[in-house]
Amino acid sequence: MSDAAAIAADVVVIGAGPTGLACAIDAQNAGFNTLLVDKGCLCNSLFHYPSNMTFFTTPELLEIGNIPFSSPNQKPNRQEALEYYRKVTQHFRLKLHQYQHVDRVEGKAGGFIVHCTDAAGRPYQYTARALIIATGYYDRANYLNIPGEDLPKVFHYYQDPHPYFDQDVLVIGGKNSAAISALDLWRHGARVTLVHRGAAMHKHVKYWILPDIENRIAHDEIHAHFETVVEEIMIDSVRLRTPDGPVTLKNDFVFAMTGYHPDFSFLEALGIRLAGKDRTPEFDPHTLESNVPGIYLAGVVVAGARTNEIFIENGRFHGAQIAAGLRQKLRATAKSF
Ligand SMILES: Cc1cc2nc3c(=O)[nH]c(=O)nc-3n(C[C@H](O)[C@H](O)[C@H](O)COP(=O)(O)OP(=O)(O)OC[C@H]3O[C@@H](n4cnc5c(N)ncnc54)[C@H](O)[C@@H]3O)c2cc1C
């Protein structure tokens, strides 16, 4: 499709994660011609989560569109969740365009033009009367900004333990992702050191994971340095600043599990105002419409940098709020908002 052949929709949802899907279902059920666009595959973030991950959440809390998520497990795994969201997408016959990155948006409420490109650099355009931004946070890692962070042995995402068997691996962080990756690496034969700037593992580590990591640390099966920061990553070693002074450790790989943040530049380019140190977007708490008329926010993007406040569990309800707002606006302005 070329620039000339823009596809028209009432609502374009940017981001086809669980939140974007929930929004598309609600908008479609409210009678709007709705199109989802994602730069990757369906549920691209979930697809890139650790291969063997288990959700923290029971299946019913991951449900969207009132479609039951049946699983024999108390907490479903990544494969089951991907299967569920594929089935839901098919069930509602959602219009989904994958592998198209939304680069920019022009126009205003009632007449937006969404500009995308695919991996080959080909342009695509969609027109929409309203936009829902459900772009999540998993694409943007929080960097440490230390020397050596750009070495190829340093990762901000953890997927599979196998390549790290019999290797010296440093895990940076003190929350769930750091605990889970350190345990998984250790259980698959890596020599693991965990470094965290806090005095202990973070209070948000899930109650069933915490004793596991604490016991591995107590038995020195996973070596831990608390109140410690990594100062430099070198090809074969890392330099730490510990309460007892500098320590240099032999090292093959580093996993910096230091969190992620929404694409603030993208939000600002849309005209959305961000406030405070958490860069919280400005929006109406009832309709989730941002300060830019016709642009709605959904999922974890509403919380700015406080990404531990919105999950699939609660973000999945944003679609209903937005659909209600859209309906109200359409009624009030006779289809020309
Ligand atoms: C390891 C891990 C485990 C978790 N476990 C749980 C759990 O058990 N329960 C729970 O409720 N939550 C859990 N979460 C949090 C939860 O997964 C996220 O909060 C959730 O994915 C957010 O959903 P979303 O749809 O808002 O964003 P995402 O799932 O991140 O979807 C955003 C989508 O937008 C797309 N996108 C971004 N920018 C663009 C662009 N410019 N153009 C086009 N597409 C774009 C991305 O490709 C992506 O597909 C977990 C998170 C992690 C990292």
Side-chain angles (χ1 to χ4, degrees), residues 14-15 17-20 37-39 44-46 49 53 55-57 100-102 134-139 299-300 310-313:
I14 305 177
T19 305
V37 185
D38 201 292
K39 65 180 176 51
N44 194 52
S45 302
L46 271 59
Y49 286 176
M53 81 161 278
F55 279 85
F56 305 134
T57 304
Q100 295 182 10
H101 186 282
V102 176
T135 44
Y137 69 120
Y138 201 57
D139 299 309
V300 70
I310 306 286
F311 308 95
I312 301 170
E313 293 185 18

PDB file of all heavy atoms in Angstrom, residues 14-15 17-20 37-39 44-46 49 53 55-57 100-102 134-139 299-300 310-313, ligand 1:
ATOM      1  N   ILE A  14      -3.049   2.190  18.619  1.00  0.00           N
ATOM      2  CA  ILE A  14      -1.615   1.986  18.379  1.00  0.00           C
ATOM      3  C   ILE A  14      -1.082   1.106  19.504  1.00  0.00           C
ATOM      4  O   ILE A  14      -1.059   1.499  20.667  1.00  0.00           O
ATOM      5  CB  ILE A  14      -0.861   3.336  18.323  1.00  0.00           C
ATOM      6  CG1 ILE A  14      -1.503   4.250  17.276  1.00  0.00           C
ATOM      7  CG2 ILE A  14       0.618   3.101  18.016  1.00  0.00           C
ATOM      8  CD1 ILE A  14      -0.881   5.645  17.189  1.00  0.00           C
ATOM      9  N   GLY A  15      -0.669  -0.112  19.130  1.00  0.00           N
ATOM     10  CA  GLY A  15      -0.171  -1.081  20.108  1.00  0.00           C
ATOM     11  C   GLY A  15      -1.158  -2.212  20.305  1.00  0.00           C
ATOM     12  O   GLY A  15      -2.278  -1.980  20.761  1.00  0.00           O
ATOM     13  N   GLY A  17      -0.933  -4.933  22.337  1.00  0.00           N
ATOM     14  CA  GLY A  17      -0.732  -5.730  23.547  1.00  0.00           C
ATOM     15  C   GLY A  17      -2.095  -6.024  24.158  1.00  0.00           C
ATOM     16  O   GLY A  17      -3.135  -5.684  23.569  1.00  0.00           O
ATOM     17  N   PRO A  18      -2.123  -6.634  25.330  1.00  0.00           N
ATOM     18  CA  PRO A  18      -3.414  -6.948  25.963  1.00  0.00           C
ATOM     19  C   PRO A  18      -4.309  -5.720  26.104  1.00  0.00           C
ATOM     20  O   PRO A  18      -5.524  -5.803  25.877  1.00  0.00           O
ATOM     21  CB  PRO A  18      -3.002  -7.477  27.343  1.00  0.00           C
ATOM     22  CG  PRO A  18      -1.611  -7.987  27.145  1.00  0.00           C
ATOM     23  CD  PRO A  18      -0.974  -7.123  26.113  1.00  0.00           C
ATOM     24  N   THR A  19      -3.721  -4.566  26.451  1.00  0.00           N
ATOM     25  CA  THR A  19      -4.535  -3.359  26.614  1.00  0.00           C
ATOM     26  C   THR A  19      -5.104  -2.897  25.282  1.00  0.00           C
ATOM     27  O   THR A  19      -6.293  -2.564  25.180  1.00  0.00           O
ATOM     28  CB  THR A  19      -3.680  -2.216  27.198  1.00  0.00           C
ATOM     29  OG1 THR A  19      -3.074  -2.662  28.397  1.00  0.00           O
ATOM     30  CG2 THR A  19      -4.501  -0.977  27.453  1.00  0.00           C
ATOM     31  N   GLY A  20      -4.258  -2.826  24.258  1.00  0.00           N
ATOM     32  CA  GLY A  20      -4.710  -2.391  22.937  1.00  0.00           C
ATOM     33  C   GLY A  20      -5.816  -3.299  22.415  1.00  0.00           C
ATOM     34  O   GLY A  20      -6.807  -2.821  21.841  1.00  0.00           O
ATOM     35  N   VAL A  37      -2.782  -1.293  15.091  1.00  0.00           N
ATOM     36  CA  VAL A  37      -1.490  -1.298  14.383  1.00  0.00           C
ATOM     37  C   VAL A  37      -0.402  -1.599  15.413  1.00  0.00           C
ATOM     38  O   VAL A  37      -0.383  -0.996  16.487  1.00  0.00           O
ATOM     39  CB  VAL A  37      -1.183   0.069  13.739  1.00  0.00           C
ATOM     40  CG1 VAL A  37       0.095  -0.005  12.921  1.00  0.00           C
ATOM     41  CG2 VAL A  37      -2.325   0.532  12.862  1.00  0.00           C
ATOM     42  N   ASP A  38       0.489  -2.531  15.088  1.00  0.00           N
ATOM     43  CA  ASP A  38       1.619  -2.810  15.994  1.00  0.00           C
ATOM     44  C   ASP A  38       2.904  -2.889  15.203  1.00  0.00           C
ATOM     45  O   ASP A  38       2.932  -3.410  14.090  1.00  0.00           O
ATOM     46  CB  ASP A  38       1.415  -4.116  16.765  1.00  0.00           C
ATOM     47  CG  ASP A  38       2.269  -4.145  18.024  1.00  0.00           C
ATOM     48  OD1 ASP A  38       3.512  -4.219  17.918  1.00  0.00           O
ATOM     49  OD2 ASP A  38       1.695  -4.051  19.124  1.00  0.00           O
ATOM     50  N   LYS A  39       3.965  -2.412  15.818  1.00  0.00           N
ATOM     51  CA  LYS A  39       5.262  -2.422  15.136  1.00  0.00           C
ATOM     52  C   LYS A  39       5.852  -3.831  15.107  1.00  0.00           C
ATOM     53  O   LYS A  39       6.758  -4.109  14.326  1.00  0.00           O
ATOM     54  CB  LYS A  39       6.243  -1.476  15.812  1.00  0.00           C
ATOM     55  CG  LYS A  39       6.620  -1.879  17.201  1.00  0.00           C
ATOM     56  CD  LYS A  39       7.601  -0.885  17.777  1.00  0.00           C
ATOM     57  CE  LYS A  39       7.913  -1.222  19.210  1.00  0.00           C
ATOM     58  NZ  LYS A  39       8.308  -2.611  19.446  1.00  0.00           N
ATOM     59  N   ASN A  44       3.455  -8.191  21.160  1.00  0.00           N
ATOM     60  CA  ASN A  44       4.904  -8.214  20.914  1.00  0.00           C
ATOM     61  C   ASN A  44       5.713  -8.222  22.217  1.00  0.00           C
ATOM     62  O   ASN A  44       6.733  -8.913  22.305  1.00  0.00           O
ATOM     63  CB  ASN A  44       5.269  -6.973  20.089  1.00  0.00           C
ATOM     64  CG  ASN A  44       6.648  -7.067  19.500  1.00  0.00           C
ATOM     65  OD1 ASN A  44       6.957  -8.062  18.848  1.00  0.00           O
ATOM     66  ND2 ASN A  44       7.475  -6.071  19.730  1.00  0.00           N
ATOM     67  N   SER A  45       5.264  -7.484  23.234  1.00  0.00           N
ATOM     68  CA  SER A  45       6.017  -7.471  24.501  1.00  0.00           C
ATOM     69  C   SER A  45       5.978  -8.845  25.155  1.00  0.00           C
ATOM     70  O   SER A  45       7.019  -9.377  25.550  1.00  0.00           O
ATOM     71  CB  SER A  45       5.451  -6.431  25.466  1.00  0.00           C
ATOM     72  OG  SER A  45       5.487  -5.152  24.886  1.00  0.00           O
ATOM     73  N   LEU A  46       4.789  -9.412  25.245  1.00  0.00           N
ATOM     74  CA  LEU A  46       4.661 -10.734  25.876  1.00  0.00           C
ATOM     75  C   LEU A  46       5.501 -11.764  25.122  1.00  0.00           C
ATOM     76  O   LEU A  46       6.123 -12.638  25.730  1.00  0.00           O
ATOM     77  CB  LEU A  46       3.202 -11.203  25.881  1.00  0.00           C
ATOM     78  CG  LEU A  46       2.349 -10.791  27.078  1.00  0.00           C
ATOM     79  CD1 LEU A  46       2.260  -9.292  27.244  1.00  0.00           C
ATOM     80  CD2 LEU A  46       0.952 -11.380  26.986  1.00  0.00           C
ATOM     81  N   TYR A  49       8.949 -11.691  26.431  1.00  0.00           N
ATOM     82  CA  TYR A  49       9.195 -11.986  27.846  1.00  0.00           C
ATOM     83  C   TYR A  49      10.019 -13.276  27.943  1.00  0.00           C
ATOM     84  O   TYR A  49      10.111 -14.037  26.969  1.00  0.00           O
ATOM     85  CB  TYR A  49       7.871 -12.173  28.602  1.00  0.00           C
ATOM     86  CG  TYR A  49       7.097 -10.898  28.882  1.00  0.00           C
ATOM     87  CD1 TYR A  49       5.853 -10.941  29.492  1.00  0.00           C
ATOM     88  CD2 TYR A  49       7.603  -9.646  28.552  1.00  0.00           C
ATOM     89  CE1 TYR A  49       5.140  -9.779  29.754  1.00  0.00           C
ATOM     90  CE2 TYR A  49       6.896  -8.485  28.816  1.00  0.00           C
ATOM     91  CZ  TYR A  49       5.664  -8.564  29.407  1.00  0.00           C
ATOM     92  OH  TYR A  49       4.954  -7.422  29.666  1.00  0.00           O
ATOM     93  N   MET A  53       8.537 -18.052  31.260  1.00  0.00           N
ATOM     94  CA  MET A  53       7.915 -17.272  32.331  1.00  0.00           C
ATOM     95  C   MET A  53       6.517 -17.766  32.697  1.00  0.00           C
ATOM     96  O   MET A  53       5.789 -18.315  31.874  1.00  0.00           O
ATOM     97  CB  MET A  53       7.825 -15.783  31.968  1.00  0.00           C
ATOM     98  CG  MET A  53       6.672 -15.464  31.076  1.00  0.00           C
ATOM     99  SD  MET A  53       6.217 -13.725  31.075  1.00  0.00           S
ATOM    100  CE  MET A  53       5.222 -13.577  32.516  1.00  0.00           C
ATOM    101  N   PHE A  55       3.085 -16.136  34.553  1.00  0.00           N
ATOM    102  CA  PHE A  55       2.500 -14.854  34.987  1.00  0.00           C
ATOM    103  C   PHE A  55       2.333 -14.836  36.508  1.00  0.00           C
ATOM    104  O   PHE A  55       2.235 -15.880  37.140  1.00  0.00           O
ATOM    105  CB  PHE A  55       1.152 -14.615  34.292  1.00  0.00           C
ATOM    106  CG  PHE A  55       1.328 -14.072  32.900  1.00  0.00           C
ATOM    107  CD1 PHE A  55       1.533 -14.920  31.826  1.00  0.00           C
ATOM    108  CD2 PHE A  55       1.347 -12.711  32.671  1.00  0.00           C
ATOM    109  CE1 PHE A  55       1.742 -14.421  30.551  1.00  0.00           C
ATOM    110  CE2 PHE A  55       1.552 -12.201  31.404  1.00  0.00           C
ATOM    111  CZ  PHE A  55       1.752 -13.060  30.337  1.00  0.00           C
ATOM    112  N   PHE A  56       2.304 -13.627  37.055  1.00  0.00           N
ATOM    113  CA  PHE A  56       2.046 -13.465  38.492  1.00  0.00           C
ATOM    114  C   PHE A  56       0.552 -13.604  38.770  1.00  0.00           C
ATOM    115  O   PHE A  56       0.134 -13.745  39.915  1.00  0.00           O
ATOM    116  CB  PHE A  56       2.459 -12.052  38.962  1.00  0.00           C
ATOM    117  CG  PHE A  56       3.881 -11.704  38.650  1.00  0.00           C
ATOM    118  CD1 PHE A  56       4.202 -10.468  38.097  1.00  0.00           C
ATOM    119  CD2 PHE A  56       4.904 -12.593  38.919  1.00  0.00           C
ATOM    120  CE1 PHE A  56       5.510 -10.144  37.804  1.00  0.00           C
ATOM    121  CE2 PHE A  56       6.221 -12.278  38.632  1.00  0.00           C
ATOM    122  CZ  PHE A  56       6.522 -11.052  38.076  1.00  0.00           C
ATOM    123  N   THR A  57      -0.218 -13.481  37.715  1.00  0.00           N
ATOM    124  CA  THR A  57      -1.659 -13.281  37.802  1.00  0.00           C
ATOM    125  C   THR A  57      -2.394 -14.561  37.444  1.00  0.00           C
ATOM    126  O   THR A  57      -1.959 -15.285  36.551  1.00  0.00           O
ATOM    127  CB  THR A  57      -2.025 -12.187  36.778  1.00  0.00           C
ATOM    128  OG1 THR A  57      -1.251 -11.035  37.063  1.00  0.00           O
ATOM    129  CG2 THR A  57      -3.466 -11.828  36.811  1.00  0.00           C
ATOM    130  N   GLN A 100       4.110  -2.859  11.557  1.00  0.00           N
ATOM    131  CA  GLN A 100       4.097  -1.482  11.042  1.00  0.00           C
ATOM    132  C   GLN A 100       4.334  -0.537  12.215  1.00  0.00           C
ATOM    133  O   GLN A 100       3.518  -0.498  13.150  1.00  0.00           O
ATOM    134  CB  GLN A 100       2.763  -1.163  10.369  1.00  0.00           C
ATOM    135  CG  GLN A 100       2.551  -2.002   9.123  1.00  0.00           C
ATOM    136  CD  GLN A 100       1.260  -1.671   8.411  1.00  0.00           C
ATOM    137  OE1 GLN A 100       0.591  -0.689   8.721  1.00  0.00           O
ATOM    138  NE2 GLN A 100       0.912  -2.492   7.444  1.00  0.00           N
ATOM    139  N   HIS A 101       5.450   0.162  12.161  1.00  0.00           N
ATOM    140  CA  HIS A 101       5.811   1.088  13.237  1.00  0.00           C
ATOM    141  C   HIS A 101       5.105   2.415  13.009  1.00  0.00           C
ATOM    142  O   HIS A 101       5.215   3.000  11.925  1.00  0.00           O
ATOM    143  CB  HIS A 101       7.332   1.288  13.245  1.00  0.00           C
ATOM    144  CG  HIS A 101       7.821   2.092  14.399  1.00  0.00           C
ATOM    145  ND1 HIS A 101       7.723   3.471  14.440  1.00  0.00           N
ATOM    146  CD2 HIS A 101       8.389   1.723  15.560  1.00  0.00           C
ATOM    147  CE1 HIS A 101       8.220   3.906  15.587  1.00  0.00           C
ATOM    148  NE2 HIS A 101       8.630   2.862  16.281  1.00  0.00           N
ATOM    149  N   VAL A 102       4.389   2.897  14.025  1.00  0.00           N
ATOM    150  CA  VAL A 102       3.771   4.225  13.894  1.00  0.00           C
ATOM    151  C   VAL A 102       4.847   5.267  14.177  1.00  0.00           C
ATOM    152  O   VAL A 102       5.380   5.349  15.283  1.00  0.00           O
ATOM    153  CB  VAL A 102       2.572   4.393  14.856  1.00  0.00           C
ATOM    154  CG1 VAL A 102       2.020   5.816  14.763  1.00  0.00           C
ATOM    155  CG2 VAL A 102       1.488   3.377  14.538  1.00  0.00           C
ATOM    156  N   ALA A 134      -1.776   2.739  23.113  1.00  0.00           N
ATOM    157  CA  ALA A 134      -1.593   1.621  24.066  1.00  0.00           C
ATOM    158  C   ALA A 134      -0.222   1.001  23.807  1.00  0.00           C
ATOM    159  O   ALA A 134      -0.094  -0.201  23.564  1.00  0.00           O
ATOM    160  CB  ALA A 134      -2.719   0.603  23.887  1.00  0.00           C
ATOM    161  N   THR A 135       0.799   1.857  23.866  1.00  0.00           N
ATOM    162  CA  THR A 135       2.136   1.441  23.412  1.00  0.00           C
ATOM    163  C   THR A 135       3.008   0.839  24.520  1.00  0.00           C
ATOM    164  O   THR A 135       4.172   0.521  24.273  1.00  0.00           O
ATOM    165  CB  THR A 135       2.860   2.640  22.758  1.00  0.00           C
ATOM    166  OG1 THR A 135       2.671   3.805  23.565  1.00  0.00           O
ATOM    167  CG2 THR A 135       2.316   2.928  21.373  1.00  0.00           C
ATOM    168  N   GLY A 136       2.466   0.702  25.748  1.00  0.00           N
ATOM    169  CA  GLY A 136       3.197  -0.015  26.784  1.00  0.00           C
ATOM    170  C   GLY A 136       4.498   0.659  27.189  1.00  0.00           C
ATOM    171  O   GLY A 136       4.671   1.878  27.041  1.00  0.00           O
ATOM    172  N   TYR A 137       5.433  -0.143  27.685  1.00  0.00           N
ATOM    173  CA  TYR A 137       6.702   0.411  28.170  1.00  0.00           C
ATOM    174  C   TYR A 137       7.901  -0.489  27.909  1.00  0.00           C
ATOM    175  O   TYR A 137       9.030  -0.107  28.208  1.00  0.00           O
ATOM    176  CB  TYR A 137       6.603   0.669  29.683  1.00  0.00           C
ATOM    177  CG  TYR A 137       6.537  -0.601  30.529  1.00  0.00           C
ATOM    178  CD1 TYR A 137       7.501  -0.883  31.492  1.00  0.00           C
ATOM    179  CD2 TYR A 137       5.518  -1.535  30.359  1.00  0.00           C
ATOM    180  CE1 TYR A 137       7.443  -2.046  32.252  1.00  0.00           C
ATOM    181  CE2 TYR A 137       5.457  -2.678  31.113  1.00  0.00           C
ATOM    182  CZ  TYR A 137       6.415  -2.931  32.058  1.00  0.00           C
ATOM    183  OH  TYR A 137       6.349  -4.080  32.797  1.00  0.00           O
ATOM    184  N   TYR A 138       7.649  -1.675  27.363  1.00  0.00           N
ATOM    185  CA  TYR A 138       8.705  -2.700  27.345  1.00  0.00           C
ATOM    186  C   TYR A 138       9.777  -2.467  26.277  1.00  0.00           C
ATOM    187  O   TYR A 138      10.798  -3.126  26.280  1.00  0.00           O
ATOM    188  CB  TYR A 138       8.037  -4.066  27.139  1.00  0.00           C
ATOM    189  CG  TYR A 138       8.880  -5.234  27.579  1.00  0.00           C
ATOM    190  CD1 TYR A 138       9.354  -5.329  28.888  1.00  0.00           C
ATOM    191  CD2 TYR A 138       9.197  -6.260  26.699  1.00  0.00           C
ATOM    192  CE1 TYR A 138      10.114  -6.404  29.298  1.00  0.00           C
ATOM    193  CE2 TYR A 138       9.959  -7.346  27.107  1.00  0.00           C
ATOM    194  CZ  TYR A 138      10.408  -7.412  28.410  1.00  0.00           C
ATOM    195  OH  TYR A 138      11.166  -8.485  28.809  1.00  0.00           O
ATOM    196  N   ASP A 139       9.549  -1.513  25.382  1.00  0.00           N
ATOM    197  CA  ASP A 139      10.535  -1.270  24.314  1.00  0.00           C
ATOM    198  C   ASP A 139      11.673  -0.366  24.764  1.00  0.00           C
ATOM    199  O   ASP A 139      12.673  -0.244  24.083  1.00  0.00           O
ATOM    200  CB  ASP A 139       9.865  -0.593  23.115  1.00  0.00           C
ATOM    201  CG  ASP A 139       8.786  -1.470  22.538  1.00  0.00           C
ATOM    202  OD1 ASP A 139       9.078  -2.638  22.270  1.00  0.00           O
ATOM    203  OD2 ASP A 139       7.654  -0.980  22.375  1.00  0.00           O
ATOM    204  N   GLY A 299      -3.637   1.643  29.258  1.00  0.00           N
ATOM    205  CA  GLY A 299      -2.599   0.738  29.758  1.00  0.00           C
ATOM    206  C   GLY A 299      -1.524   1.490  30.496  1.00  0.00           C
ATOM    207  O   GLY A 299      -1.732   2.590  31.026  1.00  0.00           O
ATOM    208  N   VAL A 300      -0.357   0.923  30.485  1.00  0.00           N
ATOM    209  CA  VAL A 300       0.714   1.401  31.353  1.00  0.00           C
ATOM    210  C   VAL A 300       1.170   2.823  31.004  1.00  0.00           C
ATOM    211  O   VAL A 300       1.703   3.525  31.863  1.00  0.00           O
ATOM    212  CB  VAL A 300       1.863   0.353  31.344  1.00  0.00           C
ATOM    213  CG1 VAL A 300       2.569   0.315  30.019  1.00  0.00           C
ATOM    214  CG2 VAL A 300       2.812   0.546  32.489  1.00  0.00           C
ATOM    215  N   ILE A 310       0.250   0.009  36.744  1.00  0.00           N
ATOM    216  CA  ILE A 310      -0.719  -0.518  35.768  1.00  0.00           C
ATOM    217  C   ILE A 310      -0.161  -1.824  35.190  1.00  0.00           C
ATOM    218  O   ILE A 310       0.982  -1.883  34.742  1.00  0.00           O
ATOM    219  CB  ILE A 310      -0.967   0.476  34.611  1.00  0.00           C
ATOM    220  CG1 ILE A 310      -1.385   1.851  35.144  1.00  0.00           C
ATOM    221  CG2 ILE A 310      -2.019  -0.069  33.648  1.00  0.00           C
ATOM    222  CD1 ILE A 310      -2.780   1.971  35.673  1.00  0.00           C
ATOM    223  N   PHE A 311      -1.018  -2.840  35.213  1.00  0.00           N
ATOM    224  CA  PHE A 311      -0.666  -4.159  34.692  1.00  0.00           C
ATOM    225  C   PHE A 311      -1.745  -4.562  33.688  1.00  0.00           C
ATOM    226  O   PHE A 311      -2.662  -3.792  33.424  1.00  0.00           O
ATOM    227  CB  PHE A 311      -0.621  -5.175  35.840  1.00  0.00           C
ATOM    228  CG  PHE A 311       0.241  -4.732  36.980  1.00  0.00           C
ATOM    229  CD1 PHE A 311      -0.314  -4.074  38.071  1.00  0.00           C
ATOM    230  CD2 PHE A 311       1.604  -4.946  36.951  1.00  0.00           C
ATOM    231  CE1 PHE A 311       0.490  -3.655  39.123  1.00  0.00           C
ATOM    232  CE2 PHE A 311       2.410  -4.530  37.990  1.00  0.00           C
ATOM    233  CZ  PHE A 311       1.851  -3.881  39.074  1.00  0.00           C
ATOM    234  N   ILE A 312      -1.645  -5.792  33.202  1.00  0.00           N
ATOM    235  CA  ILE A 312      -2.738  -6.289  32.353  1.00  0.00           C
ATOM    236  C   ILE A 312      -4.023  -6.305  33.193  1.00  0.00           C
ATOM    237  O   ILE A 312      -5.099  -5.934  32.725  1.00  0.00           O
ATOM    238  CB  ILE A 312      -2.424  -7.701  31.820  1.00  0.00           C
ATOM    239  CG1 ILE A 312      -1.128  -7.681  31.018  1.00  0.00           C
ATOM    240  CG2 ILE A 312      -3.586  -8.231  30.979  1.00  0.00           C
ATOM    241  CD1 ILE A 312      -0.605  -9.049  30.639  1.00  0.00           C
ATOM    242  N   GLU A 313      -3.856  -6.732  34.439  1.00  0.00           N
ATOM    243  CA  GLU A 313      -4.988  -6.866  35.383  1.00  0.00           C
ATOM    244  C   GLU A 313      -5.906  -5.646  35.416  1.00  0.00           C
ATOM    245  O   GLU A 313      -7.122  -5.790  35.454  1.00  0.00           O
ATOM    246  CB  GLU A 313      -4.462  -7.035  36.817  1.00  0.00           C
ATOM    247  CG  GLU A 313      -3.740  -8.298  37.065  1.00  0.00           C
ATOM    248  CD  GLU A 313      -3.356  -8.433  38.540  1.00  0.00           C
ATOM    249  OE1 GLU A 313      -3.937  -7.732  39.386  1.00  0.00           O
ATOM    250  OE2 GLU A 313      -2.473  -9.246  38.823  1.00  0.00           O
TER     251      GLU A 313
HETATM  252  C1  LIG B   1       8.300 -10.234  32.832  1.00  0.00           C
HETATM  253  C2  LIG B   1       6.974  -9.553  33.053  1.00  0.00           C
HETATM  254  C3  LIG B   1       5.938 -10.235  33.700  1.00  0.00           C
HETATM  255  C4  LIG B   1       4.697  -9.623  33.887  1.00  0.00           C
HETATM  256  N1  LIG B   1       3.704 -10.331  34.509  1.00  0.00           N
HETATM  257  C5  LIG B   1       2.478  -9.748  34.676  1.00  0.00           C
HETATM  258  C6  LIG B   1       1.397 -10.456  35.297  1.00  0.00           C
HETATM  259  O1  LIG B   1       1.550 -11.581  35.753  1.00  0.00           O
HETATM  260  N2  LIG B   1       0.191  -9.842  35.374  1.00  0.00           N
HETATM  261  C7  LIG B   1      -0.026  -8.587  34.897  1.00  0.00           C
HETATM  262  O2  LIG B   1      -1.165  -8.104  34.990  1.00  0.00           O
HETATM  263  N3  LIG B   1       0.980  -7.876  34.320  1.00  0.00           N
HETATM  264  C8  LIG B   1       2.219  -8.440  34.200  1.00  0.00           C
HETATM  265  N4  LIG B   1       3.251  -7.723  33.636  1.00  0.00           N
HETATM  266  C9  LIG B   1       3.010  -6.346  33.178  1.00  0.00           C
HETATM  267  C10 LIG B   1       2.274  -6.387  31.877  1.00  0.00           C
HETATM  268  O3  LIG B   1       2.772  -7.363  31.001  1.00  0.00           O
HETATM  269  C11 LIG B   1       2.296  -5.061  31.201  1.00  0.00           C
HETATM  270  O4  LIG B   1       1.840  -4.098  32.105  1.00  0.00           O
HETATM  271  C12 LIG B   1       1.383  -5.148  29.996  1.00  0.00           C
HETATM  272  O5  LIG B   1       1.971  -5.902  28.956  1.00  0.00           O
HETATM  273  C13 LIG B   1       1.041  -3.856  29.522  1.00  0.00           C
HETATM  274  O6  LIG B   1       0.160  -4.100  28.441  1.00  0.00           O
HETATM  275  P1  LIG B   1       0.036  -3.042  27.312  1.00  0.00           P
HETATM  276  O7  LIG B   1      -0.908  -3.607  26.305  1.00  0.00           O
HETATM  277  O8  LIG B   1      -0.274  -1.727  27.953  1.00  0.00           O
HETATM  278  O9  LIG B   1       1.527  -2.930  26.727  1.00  0.00           O
HETATM  279  P2  LIG B   1       2.361  -3.972  25.887  1.00  0.00           P
HETATM  280  O10 LIG B   1       1.960  -5.360  26.165  1.00  0.00           O
HETATM  281  O11 LIG B   1       3.794  -3.611  26.081  1.00  0.00           O
HETATM  282  O12 LIG B   1       1.924  -3.628  24.392  1.00  0.00           O
HETATM  283  C14 LIG B   1       2.354  -2.453  23.743  1.00  0.00           C
HETATM  284  C15 LIG B   1       2.434  -2.734  22.260  1.00  0.00           C
HETATM  285  O13 LIG B   1       2.655  -1.507  21.570  1.00  0.00           O
HETATM  286  C16 LIG B   1       3.507  -1.741  20.480  1.00  0.00           C
HETATM  287  N5  LIG B   1       4.127  -0.462  20.114  1.00  0.00           N
HETATM  288  C17 LIG B   1       4.908   0.342  20.883  1.00  0.00           C
HETATM  289  N6  LIG B   1       5.276   1.456  20.196  1.00  0.00           N
HETATM  290  C18 LIG B   1       4.711   1.350  18.959  1.00  0.00           C
HETATM  291  C19 LIG B   1       4.726   2.173  17.803  1.00  0.00           C
HETATM  292  N7  LIG B   1       5.358   3.361  17.773  1.00  0.00           N
HETATM  293  N8  LIG B   1       4.062   1.750  16.703  1.00  0.00           N
HETATM  294  C20 LIG B   1       3.362   0.579  16.718  1.00  0.00           C
HETATM  295  N9  LIG B   1       3.318  -0.247  17.792  1.00  0.00           N
HETATM  296  C21 LIG B   1       3.976   0.138  18.896  1.00  0.00           C
HETATM  297  C22 LIG B   1       4.497  -2.776  21.024  1.00  0.00           C
HETATM  298  O14 LIG B   1       5.115  -3.495  19.971  1.00  0.00           O
HETATM  299  C23 LIG B   1       3.585  -3.663  21.885  1.00  0.00           C
HETATM  300  O15 LIG B   1       3.070  -4.775  21.189  1.00  0.00           O
HETATM  301  C24 LIG B   1       4.496  -8.306  33.441  1.00  0.00           C
HETATM  302  C25 LIG B   1       5.530  -7.616  32.816  1.00  0.00           C
HETATM  303  C26 LIG B   1       6.768  -8.213  32.632  1.00  0.00           C
HETATM  304  C27 LIG B   1       7.865  -7.442  31.947  1.00  0.00           C
END
